[in-house]
Amino acid sequence: MRRIVSLSVIHYTLALALVLTMAGCRSSKKTVKEDTDVTSGASIQVGTSQSLEDNIVASVAAGRQTAQGLRSKVSVKLSYAGKSASTSGQLKMKRDEIIQVSITALGIMELGRLELTPQHLLVLDRVNNQYLQVAWSDVPDLAQAGVDFSTFQALFWNELFVPGISGQPAPTDFNVERASSQMRLIPKSERANMKKVAVEFLVGASNSLIEQTNVKPSDGKAKMNFQCTYSNWTTLDQKKFPREMYLSVLSGSSNYALTLTSTNPQVDESMGNINTRVPSGYRQVTLDQIMSMMAK
């Protein structure tokens, strides 16, 4: 019988990541200076109200990365329950295949990995020989809301998406609310799976860059909220890409935060199979065990 897990799997993932990060914690701190060059090559043309909205969305979509692979050294900072720690690592992404964050100590010894694929979520703890691996379909609240690998892929690649719809969205899939410095792009309810999740994108009015993505329950109840904020832009293949990604996850009274700061993001189309195989002898542990470790 298939084992169904609750949203505590997300708690587990971030808590275990914090344990790994604390194990490789460095005392030095870095200040991120934002790049003021955020000019997008895409332009917005003036037309009727509806066509202008479509052109705005098309302009945002035109700025998406077309690369199939990306890698970068990263600094990783995690915060939870008043605790925070920073370490180094590496980010690897292959479009439609995998998102992998490797956490290291002193840039040499791997402490663990966080890995997302279309099939599963994996956390591998090499320090304590333990792991968590679970299928997206076994996290019912996420599956029913249409939050899965494709959602996280859009967050990590800084892209538009429509809940429950695969592939790249069309310009006509969004409503646009214009303001002085930002625009709000909201998926149209008739196109999206909006029964449980509401999504909005805050886009720079002058540059068409996605500056923040919010994913939250559509009923307004504080079940689980994701907020991803982007900054410190660089250019990859003539497209803008954020060097800093700040992901905040609020679940009930618990708030987890992950900051990934890329030092040298590079397009890499040559990556082979980088999926992690869990070593023999590793054990699966519970969230309570991880929380106990953090309390020490």
Side-chain angles (χ1 to χ4, degrees), residues 233-296:
W233 304 86
T234 189
T235 301
L236 297 176
D237 276 2
Q238 301 181 344
K239 302 291 181 67
K240 291 298 179 182
F241 189 78
R243 281 192 292 254
E244 181 160 299
M245 178 182 120
Y246 175 80
L247 175 63
S248 175
V249 181
L250 177 64
S251 180
S253 59
S254 299
N255 190 8
Y256 304 82
L258 165 68
T259 302
L260 290 179
T261 303
S262 301
T263 56
N264 63 336
Q266 299 176 359
V267 171
D268 188 344
E269 308 284 5
S270 62
M271 283 186 287
N273 182 6
I274 61 172
N275 294 63
T276 300
R277 179 174 297 178
V278 178
S280 60
Y282 276 48
R283 67 187 185 280
Q284 208 162 6
V285 293
T286 67
L287 177 64
D288 288 341
Q289 289 173 306
I290 295 300
M291 292 302 187
S292 177
M293 290 173 58
M294 291 178 64
K296 294 180 179 179

Side-chain angles (χ1 to χ4, degrees), residues 3-291:
R3 183 170 59 89
I4 304 296
V5 299
S6 70
L7 284 177
S8 63
V9 69
I10 304 296
H11 294 198
Y12 178 96
T13 301
L14 293 170
L16 181 52
L18 181 56
V19 170
L20 295 175
T21 306
M22 291 177 70
C25 182
R26 293 179 176 182
S27 59
S28 62
K29 297 182 179 179
K30 295 183 179 180
T31 301
V32 177
K33 182 179 180 181
E34 292 196 5
D35 190 343
T36 57
D37 176 16
V38 293
T39 303
S40 172
S43 61
I44 300 175
Q45 300 179 6
V46 177
T48 64
S49 178
Q50 185 57 50
S51 64
L52 178 57
E53 288 191 357
D54 293 350
N55 286 333
I56 289 172
V57 179
S59 179
V60 176
R64 68 181 288 268
Q65 286 293 319
T66 55
Q68 298 300 302
L70 183 148
R71 70 166 66 231
S72 178
K73 293 181 179 179
V74 292
S75 61
V76 184
K77 180 179 179 180
L78 289 117
S79 303
Y80 163 71
K83 297 178 181 287
S84 65
S86 300
T87 189
S88 60
Q90 188 172 66
L91 170 67
K92 296 179 181 179
M93 300 193 295
K94 292 178 66 177
R95 190 177 292 279
D96 300 324
E97 292 187 32
I98 192 169
I99 300 166
Q100 185 184 89
V101 181
S102 176
I103 298 175
T104 61
L106 302 177
I108 301 174
M109 182 178 69
E110 184 178 54
L111 304 176
R113 293 184 181 185
L114 285 71
E115 188 170 283
L116 310 178
T117 75
Q119 293 75 37
H120 64 252
L121 180 153
L122 170 70
V123 181
L124 186 70
D125 177 1
R126 293 195 184 278
V127 177
N128 300 291
N129 293 350
Q130 58 191 20
Y131 74 99
L132 169 69
Q133 183 170 321
V134 60
W136 295 102
S137 58
D138 289 345
V139 188
D141 287 327
L142 292 182
Q144 291 169 14
V147 177
D148 54 13
F149 172 78
S150 62
T151 305
F152 285 97
Q153 175 168 261
L155 292 176
F156 273 79
W157 282 93
N158 185 228
E159 296 177 344
L160 297 173
F161 70 95
V162 175
I165 303 297
S166 61
Q168 291 301 308
T172 54
D173 286 338
F174 296 87
N175 291 315
V176 179
E177 297 179 3
R178 290 183 289 273
S180 57
S181 62
Q182 284 185 321
M183 298 173 291
R184 295 177 69 232
L185 275 57
I186 305 172
K188 294 180 179 179
S189 58
E190 62 267 24
R191 283 286 292 156
N193 178 2
M194 304 291 277
K195 293 181 179 179
K196 288 193 174 183
V197 65
V199 178
E200 69 173 8
F201 303 89
L202 301 183
V203 175
S206 62
N207 53 46
S208 299
L209 297 175
I210 301 173
E211 298 174 348
Q212 187 177 100
T213 300
N214 297 312
V215 183
K216 57 186 178 181
S218 57
D219 60 8
K221 296 180 180 178
K223 200 172 191 180
M224 179 163 284
N225 298 329
F226 294 84
Q227 183 180 89
C228 200
T229 304
Y230 308 93
S231 60
N232 201 10
W233 304 86
T234 189
T235 301
L236 297 176
D237 276 2
Q238 301 181 344
K239 302 291 181 67
K240 291 298 179 182
F241 189 78
R243 281 192 292 254
E244 181 160 299
M245 178 182 120
Y246 175 80
L247 175 63
S248 175
V249 181
L250 177 64
S251 180
S253 59
S254 299
N255 190 8
Y256 304 82
L258 165 68
T259 302
L260 290 179
T261 303
S262 301
T263 56
N264 63 336
Q266 299 176 359
V267 171
D268 188 344
E269 308 284 5
S270 62
M271 283 186 287
N273 182 6
I274 61 172
N275 294 63
T276 300
R277 179 174 297 178
V278 178
S280 60
Y282 276 48
R283 67 187 185 280
Q284 208 162 6
V285 293
T286 67
L287 177 64
D288 288 341
Q289 289 173 306
I290 295 300
M291 292 302 187

